[in-house]
């Protein structure tokens, strides 16, 4: 009894007395007793989100329901600051085995399908509304063999 009465007379306030609960952020740094408020991120910064879709070229289509897609991006060189091409291959799900080597596809992020597959390969809609240019050349000019 004499110890508790002496503590009350001294008016000591400790978070450990009487089983008081304290947060870990108060105890994380020794000089953080002055600032009891946790650090909050500024409200004006948008949250960082991962890339949800990418575009690449199919480089391997031999596996069943799986295609290997190579994505090329430009990144600055760490020393010379010139933009260089960085390539990375991703495994993508192709449920209908519709893509061949050389096709340009879009990769959509999805739940993990297997250990290495977290993308689904989706065909890219053409910009001019036509599915393909088999009858015309690369520049949209009809080939001589197709003319009557």
């Amino acid at each position: 009894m004499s110890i508790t009465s002496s503590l009350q007379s001294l008016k000591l306030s400790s978070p450990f007395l009487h089983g008081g609960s304290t947060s870990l952020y108060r105890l994380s740094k020794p000089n953080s007793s002055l600032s009891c408020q946790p650090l909050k991120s500024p409200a004006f910064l948008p949250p960082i989100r991962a890339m949800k879709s990418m575009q690449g070229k199919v480089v391997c289509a031999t596996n069943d329901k799986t295609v290997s897609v190579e994505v090329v991006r430009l990144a600055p060189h760490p020393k010379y600051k010139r933009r260089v091409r960085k390539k990375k291959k991703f495994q993508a799900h192709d449920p209908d085995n519709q893509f061949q080597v050389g096709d340009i596809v879009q990769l959509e992020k999805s739940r993990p399908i297997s250990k290495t597959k977290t993308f689904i390969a989706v065909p890219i809609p053409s910009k001019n509304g036509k599915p393909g240019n088999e009858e015309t050349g690369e520049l949209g000019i009809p080939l001589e063999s197709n003319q009557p």
Side-chain angles (χ1 to χ4, degrees), residues 31-47:
N31 57 358
S32 67
S33 62
L34 298 176
S35 63
C36 294
Q37 299 295 327
L39 296 175
K40 294 181 180 178
S41 63
F44 58 87
L45 290 177

Side-chain angles (χ1 to χ4, degrees), residues 10-143:
L10 291 175
K11 304 276 186 185
L12 289 176
S13 64
S14 172
F16 300 106
L17 290 179
H18 308 296
S21 64
T22 180
S23 302
L24 292 177
Y25 68 87
R26 292 184 186 173
L27 300 175
S28 62
K29 295 180 182 176
N31 57 358
S32 67
S33 62
L34 298 176
S35 63
C36 294
Q37 299 295 327
L39 296 175
K40 294 181 180 178
S41 63
F44 58 87
L45 290 177
I48 298 172
R49 303 223 172 161
M51 191 181 309
K52 293 191 177 177
S53 67
M54 294 178 281
Q55 187 172 342
K57 184 177 182 180
V58 176
V59 292
C60 180
T62 56
N63 298 332
D64 186 32
K65 297 184 180 180
T66 303
V67 290
S68 181
V69 180
E70 185 178 63
V71 176
V72 179
R73 64 183 179 91
L74 293 174
H77 189 276
K79 183 176 181 181
Y80 301 114
K81 308 301 182 206
R82 184 169 187 254
R83 295 193 336 167
V84 293
R85 285 189 179 94
K86 302 270 185 172
K87 297 180 183 180
K88 185 164 182 180
K89 286 187 354 181
F90 294 98
Q91 300 292 321
H93 187 61
D94 179 18
D96 301 329
N97 291 326
Q98 63 182 353
F99 299 112
Q100 305 298 324
V101 175
D103 291 346
I104 305 295
V105 296
Q106 186 169 358
L107 300 179
E108 295 289 331
K109 187 82 171 159
S110 70
R111 63 175 179 82
I113 298 167
S114 70
K115 181 180 176 182
T116 57
K117 287 198 299 186
T118 58
F119 293 98
I120 296 177
V122 178
I124 296 177
S126 62
K127 295 178 184 176
N128 58 3
K130 296 178 183 175
N133 289 338
E134 289 83 14
E135 297 181 5
T136 60
E138 287 289 323
L139 301 175
I141 303 169
L143 299 176

